[in-house]
Amino acid sequence: MQLIELVQVANARWSGLFGGLAGLIAALLVMTLPVSQPQEALLVGLLTGVFSLLLMVVTNLTGLMPANTRSDETASND
């Protein structure tokens, strides 16, 4: 499996799901740390990106994400 296949997202719904879950996890984690407000914002942003990529990779490795959602559109155009 190539690296690009590990970070592919099937559609906007999956992307929103990953971003939302990653943001929630990052915010909960940062709330437990004793840091200032500007540092909190930076940490949440960075951790959201890291957790989002991690969720994408795990979902693609386990095969839970649909491989190709455009097959329905191309089949109806033929």
Side-chain angles (χ1 to χ4, degrees):
M1 181 175 274
Q2 294 180 357
L3 182 62
I4 192 71
E5 294 172 346
L6 291 177
V7 293
Q8 284 183 330
V9 180
N11 55 34
R13 289 182 184 163
W14 282 94
S15 182
L17 177 69
F18 292 140
L21 285 175
L24 176 67
I25 293 168
L28 290 174
L29 180 65
V30 170
M31 282 182 8
T32 63
L33 300 175
V35 292
S36 66
Q37 195 169 5
Q39 291 174 339
E40 282 181 1
L42 180 65
L43 278 174
V44 168
L46 291 174
L47 289 174
T48 298
V50 169
F51 290 147
S52 182
L53 281 173
L54 184 65
L55 286 170
M56 284 181 219
V57 169
V58 169
T59 305
N60 280 317
L61 282 175
T62 57
L64 295 174
M65 191 181 311
N68 187 4
T69 58
R70 295 190 175 242
S71 61
D72 297 342
E73 295 173 7
T74 57
S76 63
N77 291 336
D78 291 338

